[in-house]
Amino acid sequence: MAGVTLGIDDSQVQAALSRLTGRMENLTPVFKNIGEYMVSSILERFDDEVDFEGNKWAALTAATIARKQKKGKIQKILQQDGDLRRTVIYLAGANKVEVGTNRIYGAIHQFGGRAGRGRKVVIPARPFLGVSAADSLEVVSIVEEFLQY
């Protein structure tokens, strides 16, 4: 850099920068907050039966509704027994957070496709995972709050 430079040799500034550096070494707390928020947001989607963009999920077929009624199952979409909803979790680490489900059938509901014997049943995509515009704003807010020491 040519010209004039300015160095800051202030103990309070140095202490603040040290605190910030220390916090940045392990981001688990902020990723935990993001994970908790995202799980909450996804569970709201199950309640509202919408994807992360607010689009309604494809309606249940008459056959599915009849089968659910006959077995006394939950009538909401993607909630036959509540297992998929119940298994939406997050894993937070020092440098990332993962949000999802450990249910194998979660993928077919997220992306859609063929399933069942002979893959004769077509399951429409009903995305329950994803980050909405409101989610993005909230994640930024969580990060900004974390950075305020």
Side-chain angles (χ1 to χ4, degrees), residues 13-38:
V13 171
Q14 294 300 327
L17 290 171
S18 274
R19 286 192 305 274
L20 179 60
T21 301
R23 294 191 82 181
M24 299 304 288
E25 288 176 6
N26 182 3
L27 298 175
T28 303
V30 73
F31 285 129
K32 180 179 178 191
N33 290 344
I34 292 168
E36 289 173 359
Y37 168 78
M38 286 305 303

Side-chain angles (χ1 to χ4, degrees), residues 78-88 101 103 105:
L78 296 186
Q79 297 184 59
Q80 179 165 300
D81 296 309
D83 288 344
L84 185 60
R85 177 191 169 99
R86 210 174 9 261
T87 61
V88 173
T101 178
R103 295 294 187 238
Y105 57 84

Side-chain angles (χ1 to χ4, degrees), residues 90-134:
Y90 72 92
L91 297 172
N95 58 10
K96 68 178 177 178
V97 62
E98 296 175 347
V99 181
T101 178
N102 63 356
R103 295 294 187 238
I104 293 171
Y105 57 84
I108 194 79
H109 292 300
Q110 177 77 15
F111 302 111
R114 295 187 170 275
R117 290 191 183 114
R119 303 178 72 68
K120 295 177 185 174
V121 178
V122 176
I123 297 179
R126 295 183 177 109
F128 55 97
L129 301 172
V131 180
S132 70

Side-chain angles (χ1 to χ4, degrees), residues 27-99:
L27 298 175
T28 303
V30 73
F31 285 129
K32 180 179 178 191
N33 290 344
I34 292 168
E36 289 173 359
Y37 168 78
M38 286 305 303
V39 168
S40 173
S41 179
I42 291 165
L43 295 182
E44 284 182 27
R45 291 182 202 144
F46 275 87
D47 293 341
D48 298 339
E49 299 181 328
V50 297
D51 67 17
F52 66 95
E53 294 178 329
N55 301 310
K56 287 298 244 180
W57 289 336
L60 296 173
T61 64
T64 300
I65 292 170
R67 180 179 44 77
K68 283 182 158 202
Q69 286 174 338
K70 183 177 177 183
K71 293 182 177 183
K73 300 295 183 178
I74 298 169
Q75 293 299 305
K76 291 189 71 87
I77 300 170
L78 296 186
Q79 297 184 59
Q80 179 165 300
D81 296 309
D83 288 344
L84 185 60
R85 177 191 169 99
R86 210 174 9 261
T87 61
V88 173
I89 60 167
Y90 72 92
L91 297 172
N95 58 10
K96 68 178 177 178
V97 62
E98 296 175 347
V99 181

